[in-house]
PDB file of all heavy atoms in Angstrom:
ATOM      1  N   ILE B 190       6.366   2.754   0.983  1.00  0.00           N
ATOM      2  CA  ILE B 190       5.501   3.391  -0.069  1.00  0.00           C
ATOM      3  C   ILE B 190       4.774   2.229  -0.700  1.00  0.00           C
ATOM      4  O   ILE B 190       5.248   1.226  -1.121  1.00  0.00           O
ATOM      5  CB  ILE B 190       6.363   4.151  -1.110  1.00  0.00           C
ATOM      6  CG1 ILE B 190       7.116   5.190  -0.371  1.00  0.00           C
ATOM      7  CG2 ILE B 190       5.554   4.581  -2.231  1.00  0.00           C
ATOM      8  CD1 ILE B 190       8.138   5.947  -1.363  1.00  0.00           C
ATOM      9  N   PRO B 191       3.411   2.398  -0.815  1.00  0.00           N
ATOM     10  CA  PRO B 191       2.566   1.303  -1.343  1.00  0.00           C
ATOM     11  C   PRO B 191       2.987   0.915  -2.828  1.00  0.00           C
ATOM     12  O   PRO B 191       3.381   1.760  -3.592  1.00  0.00           O
ATOM     13  CB  PRO B 191       1.134   1.855  -1.341  1.00  0.00           C
ATOM     14  CG  PRO B 191       1.209   3.064  -0.620  1.00  0.00           C
ATOM     15  CD  PRO B 191       2.556   3.520  -0.414  1.00  0.00           C
ATOM     16  N   LYS B 192       3.021  -0.334  -3.023  1.00  0.00           N
ATOM     17  CA  LYS B 192       3.497  -0.926  -4.301  1.00  0.00           C
ATOM     18  C   LYS B 192       2.613  -0.307  -5.478  1.00  0.00           C
ATOM     19  O   LYS B 192       3.142  -0.111  -6.577  1.00  0.00           O
ATOM     20  CB  LYS B 192       3.399  -2.434  -4.300  1.00  0.00           C
ATOM     21  CG  LYS B 192       3.896  -3.157  -5.512  1.00  0.00           C
ATOM     22  CD  LYS B 192       5.042  -4.073  -5.007  1.00  0.00           C
ATOM     23  CE  LYS B 192       5.834  -4.673  -6.231  1.00  0.00           C
ATOM     24  NZ  LYS B 192       6.321  -3.631  -7.079  1.00  0.00           N
ATOM     25  N   GLU B 193       1.309  -0.058  -5.157  1.00  0.00           N
ATOM     26  CA  GLU B 193       0.485   0.375  -6.284  1.00  0.00           C
ATOM     27  C   GLU B 193       0.874   1.768  -6.827  1.00  0.00           C
ATOM     28  O   GLU B 193       0.609   2.040  -7.952  1.00  0.00           O
ATOM     29  CB  GLU B 193      -1.008   0.492  -5.722  1.00  0.00           C
ATOM     30  CG  GLU B 193      -1.759  -0.783  -5.607  1.00  0.00           C
ATOM     31  CD  GLU B 193      -1.423  -1.460  -4.282  1.00  0.00           C
ATOM     32  OE1 GLU B 193      -0.580  -0.915  -3.476  1.00  0.00           O
ATOM     33  OE2 GLU B 193      -1.983  -2.519  -4.032  1.00  0.00           O
ATOM     34  N   LEU B 194       1.678   2.469  -5.931  1.00  0.00           N
ATOM     35  CA  LEU B 194       2.060   3.843  -6.373  1.00  0.00           C
ATOM     36  C   LEU B 194       2.961   3.766  -7.564  1.00  0.00           C
ATOM     37  O   LEU B 194       2.865   4.482  -8.526  1.00  0.00           O
ATOM     38  CB  LEU B 194       2.630   4.558  -5.254  1.00  0.00           C
ATOM     39  CG  LEU B 194       2.389   6.026  -5.122  1.00  0.00           C
ATOM     40  CD1 LEU B 194       0.936   6.351  -5.062  1.00  0.00           C
ATOM     41  CD2 LEU B 194       3.121   6.659  -3.929  1.00  0.00           C
ATOM     42  N   ASP B 195       4.035   2.846  -7.473  1.00  0.00           N
ATOM     43  CA  ASP B 195       4.890   2.745  -8.557  1.00  0.00           C
ATOM     44  C   ASP B 195       4.197   1.955  -9.798  1.00  0.00           C
ATOM     45  O   ASP B 195       4.554   2.263 -10.916  1.00  0.00           O
ATOM     46  CB  ASP B 195       6.245   2.181  -8.268  1.00  0.00           C
ATOM     47  CG  ASP B 195       6.283   1.173  -7.173  1.00  0.00           C
ATOM     48  OD1 ASP B 195       5.604   1.376  -6.169  1.00  0.00           O
ATOM     49  OD2 ASP B 195       7.055   0.126  -7.357  1.00  0.00           O
ATOM     50  N   GLU B 196       3.280   1.135  -9.447  1.00  0.00           N
ATOM     51  CA  GLU B 196       2.609   0.460 -10.571  1.00  0.00           C
ATOM     52  C   GLU B 196       1.696   1.458 -11.310  1.00  0.00           C
ATOM     53  O   GLU B 196       1.707   1.478 -12.584  1.00  0.00           O
ATOM     54  CB  GLU B 196       1.706  -0.712  -9.975  1.00  0.00           C
ATOM     55  CG  GLU B 196       2.537  -1.902  -9.565  1.00  0.00           C
ATOM     56  CD  GLU B 196       1.679  -3.003  -8.930  1.00  0.00           C
ATOM     57  OE1 GLU B 196       0.546  -2.793  -8.665  1.00  0.00           O
ATOM     58  OE2 GLU B 196       2.230  -4.027  -8.767  1.00  0.00           O
ATOM     59  N   ALA B 197       1.135   2.456 -10.573  1.00  0.00           N
ATOM     60  CA  ALA B 197       0.318   3.393 -11.244  1.00  0.00           C
ATOM     61  C   ALA B 197       1.259   4.249 -12.109  1.00  0.00           C
ATOM     62  O   ALA B 197       0.875   4.584 -13.239  1.00  0.00           O
ATOM     63  CB  ALA B 197      -0.315   4.263 -10.180  1.00  0.00           C
ATOM     64  N   ALA B 198       2.399   4.573 -11.571  1.00  0.00           N
ATOM     65  CA  ALA B 198       3.370   5.429 -12.398  1.00  0.00           C
ATOM     66  C   ALA B 198       3.791   4.702 -13.585  1.00  0.00           C
ATOM     67  O   ALA B 198       3.975   5.266 -14.643  1.00  0.00           O
ATOM     68  CB  ALA B 198       4.544   5.765 -11.420  1.00  0.00           C
ATOM     69  N   ILE B 199       4.114   3.377 -13.413  1.00  0.00           N
ATOM     70  CA  ILE B 199       4.565   2.619 -14.623  1.00  0.00           C
ATOM     71  C   ILE B 199       3.478   2.551 -15.674  1.00  0.00           C
ATOM     72  O   ILE B 199       3.770   2.729 -16.865  1.00  0.00           O
ATOM     73  CB  ILE B 199       4.974   1.204 -14.222  1.00  0.00           C
ATOM     74  CG1 ILE B 199       6.286   1.239 -13.412  1.00  0.00           C
ATOM     75  CG2 ILE B 199       5.093   0.234 -15.308  1.00  0.00           C
ATOM     76  CD1 ILE B 199       6.693  -0.027 -12.726  1.00  0.00           C
ATOM     77  N   ILE B 200       2.199   2.378 -15.224  1.00  0.00           N
ATOM     78  CA  ILE B 200       1.154   2.337 -16.213  1.00  0.00           C
ATOM     79  C   ILE B 200       0.903   3.702 -16.810  1.00  0.00           C
ATOM     80  O   ILE B 200       0.624   3.831 -18.004  1.00  0.00           O
ATOM     81  CB  ILE B 200      -0.156   1.797 -15.482  1.00  0.00           C
ATOM     82  CG1 ILE B 200       0.013   0.308 -15.358  1.00  0.00           C
ATOM     83  CG2 ILE B 200      -1.417   2.150 -16.356  1.00  0.00           C
ATOM     84  CD1 ILE B 200      -1.185  -0.366 -14.711  1.00  0.00           C
ATOM     85  N   ASP B 201       1.154   4.758 -16.048  1.00  0.00           N
ATOM     86  CA  ASP B 201       1.057   6.144 -16.584  1.00  0.00           C
ATOM     87  C   ASP B 201       2.197   6.433 -17.548  1.00  0.00           C
ATOM     88  O   ASP B 201       2.159   7.477 -18.197  1.00  0.00           O
ATOM     89  CB  ASP B 201       1.166   7.161 -15.425  1.00  0.00           C
ATOM     90  CG  ASP B 201      -0.248   7.601 -14.998  1.00  0.00           C
ATOM     91  OD1 ASP B 201      -1.171   7.323 -15.740  1.00  0.00           O
ATOM     92  OD2 ASP B 201      -0.385   8.157 -13.902  1.00  0.00           O
ATOM     93  N   GLY B 202       3.160   5.504 -17.683  1.00  0.00           N
ATOM     94  CA  GLY B 202       4.227   5.623 -18.652  1.00  0.00           C
ATOM     95  C   GLY B 202       5.603   6.049 -18.180  1.00  0.00           C
ATOM     96  O   GLY B 202       6.395   6.480 -18.920  1.00  0.00           O
ATOM     97  N   ALA B 203       5.760   6.038 -16.812  1.00  0.00           N
ATOM     98  CA  ALA B 203       7.020   6.427 -16.278  1.00  0.00           C
ATOM     99  C   ALA B 203       8.041   5.337 -16.368  1.00  0.00           C
ATOM    100  O   ALA B 203       7.722   4.175 -16.220  1.00  0.00           O
ATOM    101  CB  ALA B 203       6.815   6.878 -14.848  1.00  0.00           C
ATOM    102  N   SER B 204       9.237   5.690 -16.648  1.00  0.00           N
ATOM    103  CA  SER B 204      10.398   4.736 -16.592  1.00  0.00           C
ATOM    104  C   SER B 204      10.735   4.527 -15.114  1.00  0.00           C
ATOM    105  O   SER B 204      10.269   5.268 -14.243  1.00  0.00           O
ATOM    106  CB  SER B 204      11.574   5.242 -17.389  1.00  0.00           C
ATOM    107  OG  SER B 204      12.031   6.453 -16.843  1.00  0.00           O
ATOM    108  N   TRP B 205      11.696   3.653 -14.921  1.00  0.00           N
ATOM    109  CA  TRP B 205      12.181   3.385 -13.513  1.00  0.00           C
ATOM    110  C   TRP B 205      12.710   4.680 -12.951  1.00  0.00           C
ATOM    111  O   TRP B 205      12.424   5.104 -11.852  1.00  0.00           O
ATOM    112  CB  TRP B 205      13.229   2.355 -13.496  1.00  0.00           C
ATOM    113  CG  TRP B 205      12.680   0.922 -13.468  1.00  0.00           C
ATOM    114  CD1 TRP B 205      12.783   0.002 -14.496  1.00  0.00           C
ATOM    115  CD2 TRP B 205      11.914   0.290 -12.419  1.00  0.00           C
ATOM    116  NE1 TRP B 205      12.163  -1.139 -14.159  1.00  0.00           N
ATOM    117  CE2 TRP B 205      11.670  -1.050 -12.923  1.00  0.00           C
ATOM    118  CE3 TRP B 205      11.460   0.674 -11.209  1.00  0.00           C
ATOM    119  CZ2 TRP B 205      10.887  -1.917 -12.191  1.00  0.00           C
ATOM    120  CZ3 TRP B 205      10.745  -0.225 -10.439  1.00  0.00           C
ATOM    121  CH2 TRP B 205      10.433  -1.512 -10.968  1.00  0.00           C
TER     122      TRP B 205
END
Side-chain angles (χ1 to χ4, degrees):
Chain B
I190 296 176
K192 186 121 190 55
E193 285 83 355
L194 216 57
D195 33 317
E196 288 178 348
I199 286 170
I200 286 180
D201 264 345
S204 63
W205 281 111

